[in-house]
Amino acid sequence: MSGCPYFEKKHLLYKNKPPKTEEDEDDSQAGVNKASRGGIIYGDYLQLDKILTAQVLQSELKANKIHDEHLFIVTHQAYELWFKQILFELDSVRDIFISGHVRDERNMLKVNTRIHRVVMIFRLLVDQFAVLETMTALDFFDFREYLSPASGFQSLQFRLLENKIGVPDNLRVPYNRRHYRDNFKGHDSELLLSTEQEPTLLKLVEEWLERTPGLEVDGFNFWQRLEINIFDGLNQEKEKIEKMPDSEEKEELMAEMVKQRELFTSLFDEKRHDHLVSKGERRLSYKALQGALMIYFYREEPRFQVPFQLLTSLMDIDTLMTKWRYNHVCMVHRMIGSKAGTGGSSGYQYLRSTVSDRYKVFVDLFNLATFLVPRHWVPKLNPNIHTFLYTAECCDSSYCSSDDSD
Amino acid sequence: MSGCPYFEKKHLLYKNKPPKTEEDEDDSQAGVNKASRGGIIYGDYLQLDKILTAQVLQSELKANKIHDEHLFIVTHQAYELWFKQILFELDSVRDIFISGHVRDERNMLKVNTRIHRVVMIFRLLVDQFAVLETMTALDFFDFREYLSPASGFQSLQFRLLENKIGVPDNLRVPYNRRHYRDNFKGHDSELLLSTEQEPTLLKLVEEWLERTPGLEVDGFNFWQRLEINIFDGLNQEKEKIEKMPDSEEKEELMAEMVKQRELFTSLFDEKRHDHLVSKGERRLSYKALQGALMIYFYREEPRFQVPFQLLTSLMDIDTLMTKWRYNHVCMVHRMIGSKAGTGGSSGYQYLRSTVSDRYKVFVDLFNLATFLVPRHWVPKLNPNIHTFLYTAECCDSSYCSSDDSD
Amino acid sequence: MSGCPYFEKKHLLYKNKPPKTEEDEDDSQAGVNKASRGGIIYGDYLQLDKILTAQVLQSELKANKIHDEHLFIVTHQAYELWFKQILFELDSVRDIFISGHVRDERNMLKVNTRIHRVVMIFRLLVDQFAVLETMTALDFFDFREYLSPASGFQSLQFRLLENKIGVPDNLRVPYNRRHYRDNFKGHDSELLLSTEQEPTLLKLVEEWLERTPGLEVDGFNFWQRLEINIFDGLNQEKEKIEKMPDSEEKEELMAEMVKQRELFTSLFDEKRHDHLVSKGERRLSYKALQGALMIYFYREEPRFQVPFQLLTSLMDIDTLMTKWRYNHVCMVHRMIGSKAGTGGSSGYQYLRSTVSDRYKVFVDLFNLATFLVPRHWVPKLNPNIHTFLYTAECCDSSYCSSDDSD
Amino acid sequence: MSGCPYFEKKHLLYKNKPPKTEEDEDDSQAGVNKASRGGIIYGDYLQLDKILTAQVLQSELKANKIHDEHLFIVTHQAYELWFKQILFELDSVRDIFISGHVRDERNMLKVNTRIHRVVMIFRLLVDQFAVLETMTALDFFDFREYLSPASGFQSLQFRLLENKIGVPDNLRVPYNRRHYRDNFKGHDSELLLSTEQEPTLLKLVEEWLERTPGLEVDGFNFWQRLEINIFDGLNQEKEKIEKMPDSEEKEELMAEMVKQRELFTSLFDEKRHDHLVSKGERRLSYKALQGALMIYFYREEPRFQVPFQLLTSLMDIDTLMTKWRYNHVCMVHRMIGSKAGTGGSSGYQYLRSTVSDRYKVFVDLFNLATFLVPRHWVPKLNPNIHTFLYTAECCDSSYCSSDDSD
């Protein structure tokens, strides 16, 4: 960045690594110093020789240079750069979960910060369409033919990203009756397959939610307490309504009451849950759903404040990915119209169909809003007894302390 | 972009270039077709092998991998990608001016659109800080030492950009008493020198403003008419004030009147203008300033609508570059504090000093706001006589038509 | 705004209105001066006594004050303030069209600037959701019951806005089988009805497009020339393909060719157009569509540069309104889940269905992208003969000059 | 909001308040039901009769209606609406601190969420300038005279906001040699005075930081441990440098070492701190500064994760307020130029001078970046012994539970 003085100071005095033996030290130090003196300069550090020479206009190769193709290339490259960053953050978060480090709650800061960073990047990517939209359909038409058969469907990183978050293969909208992986060959195709098989962020969050303290049947037993409270509450409401004089209003209230009872009955019906999961309408396990609702209701308890933020950020990612898809659709509409040809389903129609709750990985976190209840129905916690919400778990320092680098 | 169907359609039917001779045609066509069949795919088109392999963490090379360095690299690379795009647009606009194509008013759409695109890119770049700000000072500290002596001061593209727009060498704030060009060697240094010598956007816009129709002394003679109207107007005001009974208010009005007269006297004083130019407080020639004010006052006339937009966009660029600088300062403050050491001027202080009107290239366009006058003081145009504001200039088609590609 | 010094200077010297008679003058001037001395102060000017006392929390009235209701109210009020501004701009633009002032091309600056302003406001409104999203579903649940039966469906201004732009009554998605106007009574309902009957922005733009210079059958006759060129072009392509040796590729090209021919045949088929209009798939008249395509193809000609910007801005409005709807849907999903109850169509589902091309008023401007052709197929203009693209129309000054104020 | 279905459902079944006695219940319930049936509608809820009738154009009153004045009014009203919301959030946070509720860490979620909301609002307010910037200097000039002597300096809410956050009276830049409070009279002036005397957010955060666990001299004694570690570390570095063979590099390193030692000596020098505070260069007490640095270094510990976020958000507010000021300056430059008259300091110059670290309330949090040290210099914590970082404080439920409403 221009004039950025961050890294121009010599900081030879500091070394992040604990000192090695005396002898090693002098040598390595001398080496570092020399390297530092010659040092690395900005352009080499950022490998600008690669970054800034990667804009080759197909139209120019075909001897018909079209100005706006440059913007088209740079915009897509910027998208791919940021996709790489998102994948980097996602992988590091997944590693923390997979390795079990998440059990040490000190690592929640990292998880939370990095997921929040992904949110901020997606926010930028949504805004970034405004730049490409300075190109009109007519400008695009001038070089569109030269790009064939390249296609955004071939963006490996975007597919990896979807897979790693947890877009399930069987809920994807097919395009021209082809499986999405058919657009990729060899190593890329294998890479995609392996991300389908690795634990997704959804799966890892699910496992973590299943361990939410307070769910233990022989402990606080949140789920059973909640069920009791809700039906007690509903019964009290019902009695009150029954005491009302007959009226249209009374009837309406009673009808509403019946609906509410059905709604909550469904919440505590594990079979129905499994049925919804099989249809793809729910994604989390029954236990994980309970954990999420527990975190929702007790979000102010010290131990749940950061987990609650995490759940919120996961919804942010879903929302922003879907906004990204929608902004993409809008731009495509402008660039090629709604029909690419006279018949058949168009690219526009395909993209439009992906702006769907089917692609919302954490859809359950949204839909839990249906099951909120008044605060006085939520089972009461006694801080003196239920201390688990005031005491964090952490591993001993020998286990955790070395984990700075990721 | 993911799933972008733009360029997946075969458009072999269309050829942008006029047909060649029959014989050539068949061969080339066949060739194109084959190429197209094999064709180019997304990753190759965008040269992702270069873009996505350019993230090498210095901290990892030093065996102390720090997670956040990846974000630091990607962010700076994204900045450099966009700087390249801005330079591309600037160069194309400068070419239109330099080649004289701007005299054909058909080219104003290109000029205007591309300058507007630069505005939109800068808007994104200002927002982009929000992503890097997800890194805290403490995260940065962990790898800061490894970057020495790389520095944002070494961003060649940013300096080129400043030079091409028209930041003058003599108004730059020196840093540690060094000339900005001393940060660069060999080819880069020569490149910078040559951009100092080439016509800047400021210079080209100046020349274009000097040709503003209506300035001709033997024609509409805007400047003289305006001078007469303004002083007539001021005299009438003065008379009215003189007729008022004595009061504190009358005195105030008279004092204000004296100031106004001085202000406008200064406007029409060419020597004073040249003096301000020599001090760097004004940048445009006296004639160009007149042109700009003419466009301001007659902005609704058909011929000036697009030029008026252009002047507005030029101010947008200035404003956004200065906002970019300011956002940069804010981030540096957060990352390294206001003092890098105990003594000497810090990088923070240096950067802060560049958030200055000295770096506003089109500062005159802002300051003209000081010289606005009531609409009825503006010299009247008669559309029947002064037809120059209703008739665009254009070159004959043989001269202009081939210019589609840039 | 804080510390804003804009309007603190006394500008008694200037009067925007032409001088009246001498006698009037002194009195009125004296009056103005006195008024100005006492003058108006910031809070009174903005009527902050009304604006800042309009936040009454229902939850507080019900003796259960919920903090987040304040944000809910302020956000909606900010939306309504901006809706009022959008309506103000729309009405002024519609007036320019209705009064015929648009024939004086000097007024295109106003039209264009104001439509662009609407674009900028919508951009802000889309971003504004980020603030309301700091409220979680659980915070909302705490006061949601108190709002019944108030509903966003009852926003008069939003419906007016839709009507004035041109969302047609018969394409609206019904909600719970009720007509949208049934949510309003008395004066509001009449107001809505009248906006359905007044000329919409769509209608006014249509009329303006129908007058696009160059469409005259006895003049440049764009439409016929275009038809000829396109089919000539297609025939030449066909001949070339026919000369190719038999191959799978040849077959594909020929099939593609057939599609292209069908596509363009449909473009020049007025009956088919009328059929599409009757189904709501097209909105503009056949003639207006021709005008729009003419502006697209000749957008660089001086006279069409500003009209082309206008068409682009109209698409921006459509796009942003639809993005606003989509962001709204996303927030509602988060706040209440996808199902408000166990049965029936939910508010979420209703809102989702309005994120549809049915609500894109200027959908034709997008879909014209389907009918782009190579530049060398576009009928050539000779600037020496077809001077209409270089000469603006304007009314004589007596007619137009008084129109500064709106 | 248009079509927002949030609040249209009847939720009579739920009552947030714990049940009252049986007899009360029936009556009140009946009452509520009736109210709810008639209920409140959207326009009344938002008091749109006040909000949407508060746009009175001074230019229209003076019989010279200028279109753009409407935008000017609405924009400022939107700013004031959001200022009200910010004040509402600030007051609620200050109340939590003042009442001591912050000692119950359950309330940190509220504090953090509301401060974050202020951040999001400021982000919107910075963006909002883009709308007002669609008005040009020339449009503004047309109605500017009518506004005299109203001025943004008279925005009561903005001054309250500055005071409540903690902009100190003695660091304010005077304007035209007048005290800022002289712009206000009567009740407003008293209100301002009282906010100067009430505890500011800065003061409250300071007190909270002073209580940071780990600072106790008879406990973990962070400050002394840190001092020992730092000087041990510096000594080791010094020894290493001394062993190097003589060279230019060695000298540089030694000089740098001397600077570092001075820097850290200053950190532990309480007298110097007090001196800096007296000059306004530091704002926090010496103890609070220690608390902040402790939170920085141990930010990953469960108990400090949310406090660390809070410190980050406080810097965000400072940064955004200063960006808001800077964007304001940029717009004023465009609207009135840099000189309002020929002499004297202009409004532009005044505003520019407020874009200063003097107005950064939490400047110490930024400048602590100067005092970062390598991770292995930070005093080690043993989770088994120093359990205070794993156990949250909370009050007993009878004390805390009633606090839902704010």
Side-chain angles (χ1 to χ4, degrees), chain C residues 1 6 16 45 142 152 331 405, chain D residues 1 6 16 65 142 152 331:
Chain C
M1 212 166 322
Y6 293 166
N16 278 325
Y45 176 51
D142 285 340
M331 193 183 52
S405 57
Chain D
M1 212 168 325
Y6 294 166
N16 280 325
K65 184 178 170 186
D142 285 341
M331 194 184 51

Side-chain angles (χ1 to χ4, degrees), chain C residues 205-224:
Chain C
V205 166
E206 179 182 80
E207 283 169 22
W208 169 74
L209 283 171
E210 288 173 349
R211 291 198 313 270
T212 305
L215 295 186
E216 310 80 4
V217 177
D218 54 351
F220 181 62
N221 200 1
F222 164 69
W223 201 240
Q224 197 189 318

Side-chain angles (χ1 to χ4, degrees), chain D residues 223-260:
Chain D
W223 201 241
Q224 196 188 319
R225 283 178 194 242
L226 180 68
E227 184 174 8
I228 291 169
N229 281 17
I230 284 177
F231 288 99
D232 279 0
L234 287 171
N235 286 338
Q236 285 173 29
E237 296 296 333
K238 194 181 167 196
E239 281 170 35
K240 252 179 287 166
I241 298 171
E242 282 168 346
K243 284 182 194 157
M244 289 170 67
D246 287 352
S247 68
E248 196 185 336
E249 189 192 341
K250 182 179 178 177
E251 273 174 52
E252 277 177 27
L253 284 171
M254 200 51 98
E256 179 73 7
M257 160 64 72
V258 171
K259 274 192 195 167
Q260 287 297 323

Side-chain angles (χ1 to χ4, degrees), chain B residues 284-301:
Chain B
L284 292 172
S285 72
Y286 194 53
K287 193 80 181 282
L289 210 71
Q290 297 169 22
L293 209 52
M294 171 123 200
I295 292 171
Y296 274 23
F297 284 139
Y298 302 95
R299 66 197 178 279
E300 288 175 1
E301 304 303 328

Side-chain angles (χ1 to χ4, degrees), chain C residues 228-406:
Chain C
I228 292 168
N229 280 17
I230 285 177
F231 288 99
D232 279 0
L234 288 171
N235 286 339
Q236 283 173 30
E237 296 295 334
K238 196 182 166 195
E239 281 172 34
K240 251 177 289 163
I241 298 171
E242 283 169 345
K243 285 185 194 156
M244 289 170 65
D246 286 353
S247 68
E248 194 184 338
E249 190 192 341
K250 181 178 178 177
E251 273 173 53
E252 277 177 27
L253 285 171
M254 200 52 98
E256 180 72 8
M257 160 65 71
V258 171
K259 273 192 196 168
Q260 288 296 323
R261 184 172 286 274
E262 276 171 25
L263 178 71
F264 283 109
T265 303
S266 81
L267 178 62
F268 294 97
D269 179 349
E270 189 165 358
K271 280 208 180 122
R272 190 165 169 283
H273 174 84
D274 294 340
H275 177 64
L276 291 172
V277 167
S278 73
K279 294 201 303 174
E281 290 187 24
R282 284 201 194 149
R283 315 283 171 94
L284 291 173
S285 72
Y286 194 52
K287 193 82 180 282
L289 211 71
Q290 297 170 22
L293 209 52
M294 170 123 200
I295 292 171
Y296 274 22
F297 284 139
Y298 302 95
R299 66 198 179 279
E300 288 175 0
E301 304 304 327
R303 199 167 172 192
F304 281 175
Q305 293 184 7
V306 171
F308 180 64
Q309 291 179 355
L310 181 61
L311 297 187
T312 304
S313 291
L314 292 172
M315 286 191 279
D316 286 341
I317 289 180
D318 256 357
T319 302
L320 285 162
M321 279 193 75
T322 200
K323 283 182 189 174
W324 189 90
R325 291 179 204 273
Y326 190 65
N327 280 25
H328 190 195
V329 165
C330 289
M331 193 183 52
V332 168
H333 194 194
R334 193 179 282 220
M335 291 295 166
I336 60 172
S338 64
K339 296 186 186 175
T342 45
S345 84
S346 69
Y348 171 74
Q349 300 299 344
Y350 162 75
L351 284 176
R352 224 180 174 313
S353 71
T354 68
V355 184
S356 153
D357 288 353
R358 297 168 77 170
Y359 282 77
K360 272 191 182 164
V361 171
F362 297 97
V363 66
D364 295 355
L365 299 179
F366 294 84
N367 287 336
L368 280 181
T370 315
F371 300 108
L372 300 182
V373 297
R375 282 180 188 251
H376 65 278
W377 289 14
V378 176
K380 283 275 172 301
L381 269 169
N382 184 332
N384 300 318
I385 299 170
H386 304 112
T387 54
F388 65 93
L389 287 174
Y390 302 87
T391 318
E393 249 176 73
C394 80
C395 315
D396 69 24
S397 50
S398 60
Y399 174 66
C400 304
S401 65
S402 66
D403 193 36
D404 294 344
S405 57
D406 134 311

Side-chain angles (χ1 to χ4, degrees), chain B residues 72-328:
Chain B
F72 189 79
I73 293 173
V74 164
T75 307
H76 282 78
Q77 288 172 336
Y79 274 118
E80 291 288 338
L81 266 183
W82 290 117
F83 289 161
K84 180 160 189 194
Q85 184 63 36
I86 293 173
L87 287 168
F88 185 76
E89 301 295 348
L90 277 181
D91 281 343
S92 84
V93 166
R94 289 167 62 247
D95 283 350
I96 292 173
F97 277 109
I98 292 171
S99 66
H101 286 169
V102 72
R103 286 171 191 269
D104 185 330
E105 293 181 27
R106 286 183 287 191
N107 286 311
M108 281 306 287
L109 184 72
K110 270 181 203 145
V111 168
N112 215 30
T113 303
R114 291 171 191 181
I115 289 294
H116 175 68
R117 180 175 293 163
V118 173
V119 169
M120 296 304 283
I121 296 174
F122 266 120
R123 204 164 278 170
L124 184 77
L125 296 190
V126 169
D127 289 344
Q128 195 168 299
F129 282 103
V131 176
L132 193 48
E133 280 172 357
T134 61
M135 182 176 80
T136 66
L138 298 113
D139 300 319
F140 180 49
F141 186 83
D142 285 341
F143 64 93
R144 191 173 145 195
E145 60 167 317
Y146 302 123
L147 309 184
S148 170
S151 159
F153 290 105
Q154 299 159 357
S155 169
L156 177 64
Q157 289 197 125
F158 192 79
R159 296 301 168 210
L160 289 173
L161 198 156
E162 289 182 327
N163 284 349
K164 285 179 188 223
I165 291 179
V167 171
D169 188 29
N170 61 330
L171 291 182
R172 285 182 181 278
V173 179
Y175 181 57
N176 285 341
R177 280 176 300 275
R178 282 181 80 187
H179 191 274
Y180 86 97
R181 226 188 300 113
D182 293 352
N183 286 300
F184 301 90
K185 304 183 259 199
H187 179 253
D188 290 356
S189 180
E190 282 162 35
L191 208 58
L192 284 165
L193 191 61
S194 74
T195 57
E196 289 179 38
Q197 291 158 350
E198 284 165 18
T200 62
L201 184 62
L202 173 67
K203 213 69 204 162
L204 294 163
V205 167
E206 179 182 80
E207 283 168 23
W208 169 75
L209 283 171
E210 288 173 349
R211 290 198 314 270
T212 305
L215 294 186
E216 310 80 4
V217 177
D218 55 352
F220 181 61
N221 201 2
F222 164 67
W223 201 240
Q224 196 188 318
R225 283 177 192 243
L226 179 68
E227 185 174 8
I228 291 169
N229 280 17
I230 285 178
F231 288 100
D232 278 359
L234 288 172
N235 285 339
Q236 283 173 29
E237 295 296 334
K238 196 180 164 195
E239 281 171 36
K240 251 177 288 165
I241 299 172
E242 282 168 347
K243 283 185 195 156
M244 291 171 65
D246 287 352
S247 68
E248 197 186 337
E249 191 192 341
K250 181 179 179 177
E251 272 175 54
E252 276 177 28
L253 284 171
M254 200 50 98
E256 179 72 7
M257 160 64 70
V258 171
K259 274 192 195 168
Q260 288 296 324
R261 184 172 285 273
E262 277 172 22
L263 178 71
F264 282 110
T265 303
S266 81
L267 178 62
F268 293 98
D269 178 349
E270 189 165 358
K271 279 207 180 124
R272 188 163 169 286
H273 175 83
D274 293 340
H275 177 65
L276 290 172
V277 168
S278 73
K279 293 201 303 175
E281 290 186 25
R282 285 202 192 144
R283 314 286 170 93
L284 292 172
S285 72
Y286 194 53
K287 193 80 181 282
L289 210 71
Q290 297 169 22
L293 209 52
M294 171 123 200
I295 292 171
Y296 274 23
F297 284 139
Y298 302 95
R299 66 197 178 279
E300 288 175 1
E301 304 303 328
R303 200 169 173 191
F304 282 174
Q305 293 184 7
V306 172
F308 181 64
Q309 291 179 353
L310 180 61
L311 297 187
T312 304
S313 290
L314 292 171
M315 286 191 278
D316 286 342
I317 290 181
D318 257 357
T319 301
L320 285 162
M321 279 193 75
T322 200
K323 283 182 188 174
W324 189 89
R325 291 179 204 274
Y326 190 65
N327 280 23
H328 189 194

Side-chain angles (χ1 to χ4, degrees), chain C residues 1-11 14-17 36 39-42 45-48 50-56 58 63-82 84-85 88-89 92 113-114 116-117 120-121 124 127-132 134-135 140-142 144-155 157-159 175 324 328 331-332 335 347-348 351 405-406, chain D residues 1-11 14-17 36 38-42 45-48 50-56 58 63-82 84-85 88-89 92 113-114 117 120-121 124 127-132 134-135 140-142 144-155 157-159 175 324 328 331-332 335 347-348 351 405-406:
Chain C
M1 212 166 322
S2 141
C4 171
Y6 293 166
F7 37 117
E8 101 229 70
K9 274 269 137 191
K10 286 208 194 81
H11 288 281
Y14 297 150
K15 274 170 309 303
N16 278 325
K17 304 295 283 181
S36 171
I40 189 155
I41 64 162
Y42 182 84
Y45 176 51
L46 300 176
Q47 302 207 23
L48 296 184
K50 286 157 83 173
I51 298 288
L52 301 179
T53 60
Q55 294 73 35
V56 175
Q58 290 299 306
N64 183 27
K65 183 178 171 184
I66 303 296
H67 180 87
D68 280 21
E69 192 186 347
H70 199 280
L71 177 71
F72 190 78
I73 293 173
V74 164
T75 307
H76 283 78
Q77 287 173 336
Y79 274 117
E80 290 288 338
L81 267 183
W82 289 117
K84 178 160 189 194
Q85 184 63 36
F88 185 77
E89 302 295 348
S92 83
T113 302
R114 291 172 191 180
H116 175 67
R117 181 174 293 162
M120 295 304 283
I121 295 173
L124 184 77
D127 288 345
Q128 195 167 300
F129 282 103
V131 175
L132 193 48
T134 62
M135 182 176 83
F140 180 50
F141 185 83
D142 285 340
R144 191 174 143 195
E145 60 167 316
Y146 301 124
L147 309 184
S148 171
S151 157
F153 290 104
Q154 299 159 357
S155 169
Q157 290 199 121
F158 192 79
R159 296 300 168 213
Y175 181 58
W324 189 90
H328 190 195
M331 193 183 52
V332 168
M335 291 295 166
Y348 171 74
L351 284 176
S405 57
D406 134 311
Chain D
M1 212 168 325
S2 142
C4 171
Y6 294 166
F7 38 116
E8 100 229 70
K9 273 268 138 191
K10 285 208 194 79
H11 287 280
Y14 297 149
K15 274 169 308 303
N16 280 325
K17 305 295 282 182
S36 171
I40 189 155
I41 63 162
Y42 182 84
Y45 177 49
L46 300 176
Q47 302 207 23
L48 296 184
K50 287 158 83 174
I51 298 289
L52 301 179
T53 59
Q55 294 73 35
V56 175
Q58 291 299 307
N64 183 27
K65 184 178 170 186
I66 303 296
H67 179 87
D68 279 21
E69 192 185 348
H70 199 279
L71 176 71
F72 190 78
I73 293 173
V74 165
T75 307
H76 282 77
Q77 287 173 337
Y79 273 118
E80 291 288 339
L81 266 183
W82 289 116
K84 178 159 189 194
Q85 185 61 36
F88 185 77
E89 302 295 348
S92 84
T113 303
R114 292 173 190 180
R117 180 174 294 163
M120 296 305 283
I121 296 174
L124 183 76
D127 288 344
Q128 194 168 299
F129 282 103
V131 176
L132 193 48
T134 61
M135 182 177 81
F140 179 50
F141 186 83
D142 285 341
R144 192 173 145 194
E145 60 166 316
Y146 301 124
L147 309 184
S148 171
S151 159
F153 289 104
Q154 299 159 357
S155 169
Q157 290 198 123
F158 192 78
R159 296 301 167 209
Y175 180 58
W324 189 91
H328 189 195
M331 194 184 51
V332 168
M335 290 296 165
Y348 170 73
L351 284 176
S405 56
D406 115 328

Side-chain angles (χ1 to χ4, degrees), chain A residues 1-11 14-17 36 38-42 45-48 50-56 58 63-82 84-85 88-89 92 113-114 116-117 120-121 124 127-132 134-135 140-142 144-155 157-159 175 324 328 331-332 335 347-348 351 405-406, chain B residues 1-11 14-17 36 39-42 45-48 50-56 58 63-82 84-85 88-89 92 113-114 117 120-121 124 127-132 134-135 140-142 144-155 157-159 175 324 328 331-332 335 340 347-348 351 405-406:
Chain A
M1 213 165 323
S2 141
C4 171
Y6 295 164
F7 37 118
E8 101 229 70
K9 274 268 134 189
K10 284 206 195 79
H11 287 280
Y14 296 150
K15 275 170 308 301
N16 279 325
K17 303 295 282 183
S36 170
I40 188 155
I41 63 164
Y42 181 85
Y45 177 51
L46 300 175
Q47 303 208 23
L48 296 184
K50 285 157 82 173
I51 298 288
L52 300 180
T53 59
Q55 293 74 35
V56 175
Q58 292 298 306
N64 182 27
K65 184 179 170 183
I66 302 296
H67 180 87
D68 280 21
E69 193 186 348
H70 199 281
L71 177 71
F72 190 79
I73 293 173
V74 164
T75 306
H76 282 77
Q77 287 173 336
Y79 273 117
E80 290 288 338
L81 267 183
W82 289 116
K84 179 160 189 195
Q85 184 63 36
F88 185 77
E89 302 295 349
S92 83
T113 303
R114 292 172 191 180
H116 175 68
R117 181 175 292 163
M120 296 305 284
I121 295 174
L124 183 77
D127 289 344
Q128 195 168 299
F129 282 103
V131 175
L132 193 49
T134 61
M135 183 176 82
F140 180 50
F141 186 83
D142 286 340
R144 192 174 144 194
E145 61 167 316
Y146 301 123
L147 309 183
S148 169
S151 158
F153 289 103
Q154 299 158 356
S155 170
Q157 289 198 124
F158 192 79
R159 296 299 168 212
Y175 181 59
W324 189 89
H328 190 194
M331 193 183 52
V332 168
M335 291 294 166
Y348 170 74
L351 284 175
S405 57
D406 127 319
Chain B
M1 212 167 323
S2 142
C4 171
Y6 294 166
F7 37 116
E8 101 229 70
K9 274 269 136 189
K10 285 208 195 81
H11 288 281
Y14 297 149
K15 274 169 308 303
N16 279 324
K17 304 295 281 183
S36 170
I40 188 157
I41 64 162
Y42 181 84
Y45 176 50
L46 300 175
Q47 302 208 22
L48 296 183
K50 286 157 83 173
I51 297 289
L52 300 179
T53 60
Q55 293 74 35
V56 175
Q58 291 298 307
N64 183 27
K65 183 177 169 185
I66 303 297
H67 180 87
D68 280 21
E69 193 186 347
H70 199 280
L71 176 71
F72 189 79
I73 293 173
V74 164
T75 307
H76 282 78
Q77 288 172 336
Y79 274 118
E80 291 288 338
L81 266 183
W82 290 117
K84 180 160 189 194
Q85 184 63 36
F88 185 76
E89 301 295 348
S92 84
T113 303
R114 291 171 191 181
R117 180 175 293 163
M120 296 304 283
I121 296 174
L124 184 77
D127 289 344
Q128 195 168 299
F129 282 103
V131 176
L132 193 48
T134 61
M135 182 176 80
F140 180 49
F141 186 83
D142 285 341
R144 191 173 145 195
E145 60 167 317
Y146 302 123
L147 309 184
S148 170
S151 159
F153 290 105
Q154 299 159 357
S155 169
Q157 289 197 125
F158 192 79
R159 296 301 168 210
Y175 181 57
W324 189 89
H328 189 194
M331 193 184 51
V332 168
M335 291 294 165
Y348 171 73
L351 283 176
S405 57
D406 118 324

